[in-house]
Structure formats: structure tokens, C-alpha cells
Amino acid sequence: MTITNIISAIGNNSSVYPLIVRDCGIEVPTKIILTYDQNKKESKGIAYLAARERFLDEYATSAVWLGGIPLVGWLVDKYIKTKGLNPKVNLKLFKEEAGIQGIDYNINKFKNSAPEAVKDLLKVKENKKLYEKLLAGKFIASTTIPILFMGFILPKLIFASSAKKIEKLRSKEAEKKNYVQQISFLQKDKFYKSKDINFTGSWITKAANFSAQDKMAVTDGGYAAGRIITARNKNERYDLTFKMAGMMFLNFVAPKWIEKGLNRITGVELDPLILADKEFAKQIKEGTLKLPANNSPVELLEFVDNIENKDTLFIKYAKKFGKIKMLDSGIRDPREYVDIKKLGKFRNDIENFASNALKNSDFSGFVKKARVAKSANIITNVALSSFLLAYILPKAQFAFRKLITGSDLEPGLAPAEKIVDNKE
């Protein structure tokens, strides 16, 4: 099951695992090699500096990107708890869904079965404005701090380090070629003022429910803006804009499109972790698999809230894949909001698979083929998106750079005579 667990983890395009695999394991090492090869065509010295910059930039960014956001969020959660409030309470519950869920509905429904969780709901209800401000602060802190470091502080540190080394390189080349002109690579810092942001309850609710990957996407956008603003010259700004736009698309949009396309081709939606569960196959074959009768909101939550169903495979995997959150007692956590649409789709996907499996004359073969197909889909998705990120995007960036600057060299490191003067 170890391999299946790994495949399942990297196949979840709503989590950070595919990003870790693509970013740290494939994309960054490949980009470092390609950067060196691209620049050495004209200068091995600049090629070394460009590869060094890419190494420091990419891995430092990855460390902040993957660790900084969760760390800041954890620290802010600690602070929120000191105010007597539990950050697990979902603000979406303040929008009551009659007969389904909502803060008042959940308080009344779970006051006897989950009294401690209900206390958290009551405290947040009594201090809604303060809680909204705290969650808004959490979102701002967990995105702004990484953005400032990755987008503004880190590039300046790398540029300053490179400036000293490039100066030495230029001096050696000047001696060889009798250069007299001294080249400066750093521009004056540019400052900008952002418009005041008006935080509304609706905005806070959406931001508070961002997944780790959503926050990474926001942080990536800010990081991209910072890199473009701190670019050392006009051509480097063009080069970075092309790179960052492509990176954002290939990291956060393309994998989900690829996943949908592959799922349609194979007709398999369920995770390989479920498909590898022998008990799951057994219950389908014996007709003992318990599911909500239909995907209506009332039916779904009645099934989940029935304590007799707490050990069913539906509850087990709905919890595993983040469709619902349960307390240790087996009661649904009343502080959490349930996305009925996602839970209903999950239920339908299981029912459709079970129905198709029972219709097939080779039941075991059908289940095995489905598991292999889904695993292949995930591996194909990771491989394809990694290839696009690690090879195609850099090659496209290099071609764009050559078109804009007339040189293969990194625009921020290239000597002035290598850069085409592009009028803005």
C-alpha cells in the first residue's frame, strides 16, 4: 500500500504534495541545468553565476513557499486561541442553510452530542467581528510575509551577492579584452504604494477557507509581482513576466485540466487508495456497501450524522479526502462547514463505480484495471506537468529572451553591449 499511498498523495491537486514533487524534485534541478547550458553558449562565467542565482532563488523560495505559509498560519492560530476563540470554526456557518447547516442550526443540533465544539461556536458567535479580524490578519500574515521575503528581500540579497561576483568577472574580462567601461547591474530601488484594501465579511470568509494550495497561489502571485518590480533592468522584467505567468498557469491550472481530461478518457474518478482497498471491493461484490440514498443535502448529512454509519467506508474516505471532518467520538465536527456539492459528487462517483463494476463479467479484473488506470493518470499528470514546467517553459522563456534581448544570457547578468535597446 506504500506505493499506492504515494501515488494517491501526489495525485491530489488540491494539496501541496504534487507541488513538492514537481517543484523540488523535478522542476528546480532541471531548470538549474538548463539555465547553465543556455548561458554557457556565450559565457561560462555568467553561466555559473546564473545557475548559482537559480539554485539560491528556487530552493530558498521553495523553503518559504512550502514551510513559511503553514508556519505563520500555525503561529497566528496560537494567538487566536489566546483570545479564547478556536480557529477551527468556519465563517461560512454564519450563512444559515435552512435544515442543513449553519451556526445556530449546528449549535442546536450538536449541543448534546458535541458540547465542547458547541462552546467554540457560541464564543465565536458572541465575538464575530473580532474573529473576522483575527482570521483576516491570519490570511494577510501568512501570505504577505512570504511575499515580502520571496518577492522583494530574497532577490535583493541574491542580486547584491551576484553584483560582487559579476564585478570580479567583468574585471577579468576587461583585462583580457582591454575593457575600460565599468558596468553597473543594479538599479535604484523602486517603491510603490498599494491602494487601501477594504476587507468585508464576505472576503474574509473566502480567504479563511483557502486551502494551503490556494494560499500558495496567492503568495505566488505576490512573489511574481515582487520579482518583476525588483528586476534589475527592463529586459529582465520582460523575461520574468513571461516566466512567472507560465509558472502560475502550469502549477495551479494546467494539472487540474490534465486531471479532468485523463479522468474522462479512462472513466475513473476514484482515488487509487480506495480502489486498492480489498474491503471496498468486497462490499461492492456482496452488496453491503453503505451509501447515502441520494446526493441531496439532507440525505447526505443525515447519513454522516447517524452514529451507526461512523465506521462505513463512505465516512472513512470522505474524512480521508477532506470532504468532512469528524471528532474522535465519531460525531461530525459542528465547527466545520460541509461542501455539499463535493460530498455529493464523491458519493455519486462511488455509486457509479460500484454499478459499473457489478455489470462487468470480470469483477476483479475491472477493479484492478481501474486502479492501474487511475494510478497511470496520476503519474502521467505529474510527468506531463513537470515536463511542461521543467523543460518546455524554460525553453520557451529562452526563446522569448532571445527575441527580446538578442542574447542567450540572463538579462540581469548580461553585459550592456549584449542587450538590445528596447524602447518602451
Side-chain angles (χ1 to χ4, degrees), residues 91-383:
L91 281 175
K92 285 185 177 181
L93 293 173
F94 279 97
K95 185 178 180 181
E96 296 283 338
E97 297 176 15
I100 303 171
Q101 61 184 332
I103 195 159
D104 289 327
Y105 181 86
N106 284 11
I107 287 172
N108 291 324
K109 181 173 182 176
F110 294 95
K111 60 186 177 182
N112 295 322
S113 58
E116 292 302 315
V118 167
K119 285 181 182 179
D120 292 334
L121 290 174
L122 288 168
K123 287 180 181 178
V124 168
K125 183 182 177 182
E126 293 167 2
N127 299 277
K128 182 185 176 185
K129 289 186 178 180
L130 172 62
Y131 189 61
E132 286 180 337
K133 289 179 181 179
L134 290 170
L135 288 186
K138 176 182 176 180
F139 175 77
I140 293 170
S142 61
T143 54
T144 302
I145 293 173
I147 285 171
L148 288 175
F149 181 80
M150 294 189 301
F152 296 89
I153 297 173
L154 180 61
K156 288 295 185 181
L157 292 174
I158 293 175
F159 293 165
S161 174
S162 291
K164 294 178 181 179
K165 295 183 180 297
I166 199 72
E167 187 178 350
K168 291 180 181 179
L169 179 63
R170 293 273 73 79
S171 296
K172 290 180 180 179
E173 290 185 354
E175 290 175 6
K176 291 179 180 179
K177 300 180 181 180
N178 296 317
Y179 279 18
V180 179
Q181 184 181 4
Q182 183 179 7
I183 302 168
S184 174
F185 294 99
L186 297 178
Q187 294 181 327
K188 294 180 180 180
D189 291 343
K190 295 183 179 180
F191 297 90
Y192 71 99
K193 294 182 180 179
S194 60
K195 297 180 179 179
D196 291 336
I197 302 174
N198 182 24
F199 297 109
T200 65
S202 175
W203 179 90
I204 297 170
T205 301
K206 290 179 181 178
N209 283 282
F210 275 10
S211 65
Q213 197 194 51
D214 291 333
K215 289 178 183 176
M216 285 180 178
V218 172
T219 304
D220 228 26
Y223 152 61
R227 287 304 170 90
I228 292 167
I229 291 168
T230 57
R232 287 167 285 194
N233 55 55
K234 177 175 57 180
N235 288 302
E236 186 175 46
R237 190 168 295 116
Y238 296 150
D239 193 59
L240 285 170
T241 300
F242 184 92
K243 168 192 169 184
M244 293 298 180
M247 188 176 69
M248 290 283 288
F249 175 78
L250 293 176
N251 259 325
F252 300 106
V253 180
K256 293 180 180 179
W257 287 4
I258 295 170
E259 179 185 22
K260 287 181 180 179
L262 292 173
N263 286 350
R264 286 181 181 177
I265 292 171
T266 60
V268 183
E269 294 282 347
L270 297 180
D271 190 276
L273 204 61
I274 303 176
L275 299 173
D277 190 332
K278 293 180 179 179
E279 182 61 27
F280 177 67
K282 178 183 176 183
Q283 288 186 17
I284 291 176
K285 195 170 186 178
E286 295 177 351
T288 57
L289 181 66
K290 292 184 69 175
L291 295 173
N294 53 60
N295 65 347
S296 71
V298 173
E299 184 62 40
L300 287 169
L301 292 188
E302 280 186 359
F303 184 92
V304 172
D305 293 339
N306 185 342
I307 196 67
E308 293 180 1
N309 296 326
K310 69 183 182 72
D311 295 323
T312 61
L313 290 178
F314 178 77
I315 299 294
K316 174 185 174 180
Y317 285 112
K319 182 171 63 174
K320 170 73 177 175
F321 297 111
K323 313 300 179 184
I324 54 174
K325 291 189 179 179
M326 309 292 284
L327 300 173
D328 292 338
S329 61
I331 302 295
R332 175 167 60 91
D333 192 337
R335 298 165 298 192
E336 295 289 342
Y337 177 84
V338 179
D339 189 322
I340 297 297
K341 186 176 180 181
K342 289 183 179 179
L343 184 62
K345 182 182 183 303
F346 181 64
R347 179 254 172 217
N348 290 346
D349 288 341
I350 293 176
E351 183 183 59
N352 291 337
F353 178 81
S355 176
N356 291 332
L358 289 171
K359 290 177 184 177
N360 197 284
S361 57
D362 182 7
F363 177 85
S364 297
F366 179 85
V367 174
K368 183 178 179 180
K369 286 179 182 178
R371 186 182 77 245
V372 171
K374 184 61 178 181
S375 298
N377 282 358
I378 291 171
I379 294 170
T380 300
N381 192 349
V382 172

Side-chain angles (χ1 to χ4, degrees), residues 37-71:
D37 287 342
Q38 182 69 15
N39 284 271
K40 77 175 183 181
K41 296 175 182 176
E42 297 189 35
S43 170
K44 287 187 176 180
I46 289 181
Y48 164 76
L49 291 177
R52 175 181 174 275
E53 278 198 353
R54 181 57 62 90
F55 176 86
L56 294 173
D57 183 15
E58 297 286 355
Y59 278 115
T61 296
S62 294
V64 176
W65 197 44
L66 297 169
I69 294 173
L71 176 61

